[in-house]
């Protein structure tokens, strides 16, 4: 028997044993449930939810179905994941650059931040931030972070744009502008391969997009107005209010994750040898061109796989919001289970949803990683 065939048989045997173990657990659980008169069904998903959610990004009322309540919870979880991923990546990238700085003050600050964030349990960080907002920042003593930006126990109050009902058109314009920039980037790459000269597509695209947005904002149609939050007794009026739970979750998870991302970025930067910088300078590339065309593409090949793990961890760490009461998917599903007494079905739904989210996220990051390897 050849080695390849033997390895195939071993893998097939392990796979068969795994399926057999899962089937045994399923059959045993089904038999136990049947002996107790408990039937498995998902018909309860169409019933009226009957419970309120404190904060949602999708329209929701207690009269909606349990299925829609779960989808609203998924929307909250995805919003948390997106915002934390963006903020933590930006913070981690800056801290990673500071970690290799020759300035002892900058390097020491970044190292202290990384050590604090990486060695603090995230649930402790969330509880500390939440209690801090509730104990020391009443509305009448709100901390001002700038014009129209206030932080208090009511959350973070920021200015809001009144788009005059033209918000969807602005969103379509932004999506169209982004698609146009992607098209210009591909066209510039093709032009560079043909002629060796890369057109300044970023400046052209950014100029056109800024001009379109400026014309849209200053035109007579939209009637855009800036609404500033104002302290009104124990609460704020006007502007946009990020609740304490949402603000605590975003800041806490961003701080916690930024420490890990900083170390990943530092490792990626240090993996590029000094000879790469010197070679880029020798062929006449500027510092920005060196970063964009030489350093960052090589660094991304190193950092994308560990960054995938951090983004998946953000999804899993978002379940810690149960300690501060934000209505993410986990909290919504738990409330539904308590109301319907469908613990088995509810638990299976929770496992399936988080598995789908994480597998989809990993697939996107793996596709990006393969694209960088071919670049």
């Amino acid at each position: 028997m050849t080695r390849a065939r033997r390895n195939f048989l071993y893998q097939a045997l392990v796979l068969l044993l795994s399926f057999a173990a899962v089937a045994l657990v399923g059959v045993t659980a089904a038999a136990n449930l049947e002996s107790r008169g408990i039937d498995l069904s998902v018909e309860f998903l169409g019933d009226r939810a009957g419970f309120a959610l404190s904060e949602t990004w999708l329209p929701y009322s207690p009269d909606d179905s349990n299925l829609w309540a779960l989808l609203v919870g998924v929307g909250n979880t995805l919003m948390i994941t997106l915002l934390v991923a963006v903020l933590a990546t930006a913070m981690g990238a800056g801290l990673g650059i500071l970690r290799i700085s020759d300035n002892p003050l900058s390097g020491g600050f970044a190292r202290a931040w990384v050590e604090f964030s990486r060695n603090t349990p995230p649930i402790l960080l969330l509880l500390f931030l939440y209690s801090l907002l509730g104990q020391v920042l009443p509305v009448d003593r709100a901390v001002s972070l700038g014009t129209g930006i206030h932080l208090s126990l009511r959350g973070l109050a920021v200015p809001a744009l009144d788009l005059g009902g033209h918000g969807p058109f602005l969103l379509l314009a932004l999506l169209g502008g982004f698609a146009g920039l992607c098209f210009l980037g591909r066209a510039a790459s093709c032009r560079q391969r043909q002629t060796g000269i890369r057109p300044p597509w970023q400046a052209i695209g950014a100029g056109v997009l800024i001009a379109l947005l400026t014309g849209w904002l200053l035109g007579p149609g939209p009637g855009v107005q800036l609404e500033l939050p104002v302290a009104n007794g124990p609460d704020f009026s006007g502007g946009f209010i990020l609740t304490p739970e949402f603000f605590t979750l975003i800041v806490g998870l961003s701080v916690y994750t930024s420490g890990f991302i900083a170390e990943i970025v530092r490792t990626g930067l240090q993996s590029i040898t000094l000879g790469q910088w010197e070679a880029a300078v020798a062929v006449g590339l500027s510092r920005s061109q060196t970063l964009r065309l030489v350093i960052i593409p090589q660094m991304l090949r190193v950092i994308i796989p560990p960054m995938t793990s951090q983004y998946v961890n953000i999804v899993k760490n978002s379940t810690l919001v149960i300690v501060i009461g934000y209505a993410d998917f986990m909290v919504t599903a738990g409330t539904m289970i308590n109301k319907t007494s469908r613990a088995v079905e509810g638990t299976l739904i929770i496992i399936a949803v988080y598995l789908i989210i994480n597998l989809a996220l990993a697939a996107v990051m793996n596709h990006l990683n393969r694209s960088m390897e071919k670049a």
Side-chain angles (χ1 to χ4, degrees):
M1 181 182 295
T2 63
R3 182 177 179 181
R5 180 172 295 180
R6 186 171 59 251
N7 291 338
F8 174 78
L9 290 177
Y10 288 154
Q11 294 173 13
L13 179 60
V14 171
L15 187 62
L16 181 62
L17 291 176
S18 300
F19 278 119
V22 172
L24 178 61
V25 172
V27 171
T28 304
N32 291 334
L33 291 172
E34 185 179 359
S35 65
R36 290 169 173 78
I38 302 175
D39 60 324
L40 295 179
S41 173
V42 294
E43 294 180 358
F44 69 96
L45 292 177
D47 297 338
R48 179 178 178 272
F51 56 86
L53 297 177
S54 58
E55 184 178 358
T56 64
W57 292 92
L58 297 174
Y60 171 78
S61 72
D63 293 328
D64 292 326
S65 65
N66 287 318
L67 178 60
W68 180 249
L70 293 178
L71 293 177
V72 170
V74 171
N76 286 355
T77 294
L78 293 179
M79 179 62 69
I80 293 169
T81 302
L82 176 62
L83 293 178
V84 172
V86 171
L87 292 177
T89 301
M91 294 165 61
L95 290 169
I97 295 173
L98 291 179
R99 285 280 280 124
I100 61 175
S101 173
D102 295 331
N103 188 314
L105 182 60
S106 300
F109 169 77
R111 177 168 186 151
W113 182 293
V114 169
E115 295 299 329
F116 168 78
S117 60
R118 293 178 66 191
N119 294 285
T120 302
I123 191 170
L124 178 62
L125 189 58
L126 293 177
L127 289 174
F128 170 76
L129 291 174
Y130 191 65
S131 61
L132 182 66
L133 288 177
Q135 295 296 326
V136 301
L137 294 176
V139 174
D140 56 354
R141 293 200 302 272
V143 176
S144 178
L145 304 179
T147 304
I149 303 177
H150 307 284
L151 181 63
S152 73
L153 61 84
R154 295 296 183 183
L156 181 66
V158 297
L161 280 178
D162 182 6
L163 300 178
H166 293 264
F169 299 103
L170 178 59
L171 178 60
L172 291 175
L174 291 176
L175 292 176
F178 179 75
L181 289 177
C182 293
F183 174 78
L184 287 176
R186 289 184 175 273
S189 298
C190 293
R191 181 70 174 176
Q192 184 180 15
R193 286 192 293 268
Q194 295 173 357
T195 64
I197 300 175
R198 187 177 182 85
W201 67 274
Q202 297 100 329
I204 297 174
V208 172
L209 184 60
I210 291 174
L212 290 175
L213 289 177
T214 302
W216 188 88
L217 291 174
L218 299 180
V224 177
Q225 296 181 352
L226 183 64
E227 190 178 72
L228 298 178
V230 178
N232 184 14
D235 206 343
F236 286 104
S237 60
F240 182 75
I241 311 298
L242 297 177
T243 62
E245 294 79 13
F246 185 77
F247 176 77
T248 299
L249 181 62
I250 296 301
V251 173
L253 292 185
S254 297
V255 169
Y256 176 74
T257 309
S258 65
F260 294 92
I261 293 180
E263 289 298 277
I264 293 173
V265 172
R266 178 181 67 85
T267 303
L269 289 173
Q270 291 181 336
S271 68
I272 310 301
T273 61
L274 183 60
Q276 297 288 331
W277 292 87
E278 295 173 345
V281 173
V283 299
L285 295 180
S286 64
R287 186 173 181 83
S288 62
Q289 289 176 326
T290 301
L291 285 171
R292 179 168 52 85
L293 301 176
V294 179
I295 304 302
I296 292 180
Q298 296 185 71
M299 183 186 72
L300 288 177
R301 297 173 184 174
V302 177
I303 70 172
I304 286 179
M307 288 288 286
T308 302
S309 298
Q310 292 305 317
Y311 292 150
V312 170
N313 284 336
I314 291 174
V315 177
K316 294 187 290 187
N317 289 334
S318 67
T319 59
L320 297 176
V321 299
I322 193 171
V323 301
I324 58 177
Y326 182 77
D328 75 327
F329 172 71
M330 189 69 177
V331 172
T332 304
T335 304
M336 183 199 67
I337 290 174
N338 291 333
K339 179 179 178 295
T340 61
S341 299
R342 293 286 184 171
V344 176
E345 298 93 327
T347 303
L348 292 176
I349 291 173
I350 293 173
I351 295 174
V353 167
Y354 280 109
L355 185 62
I356 291 172
I357 293 175
N358 287 331
L359 289 178
L361 180 58
V364 172
M365 295 299 295
N366 289 335
H367 175 73
L368 178 61
N369 188 37
R370 289 191 296 269
S371 300
M372 295 307 304
E373 290 177 350
K374 296 178 182 178

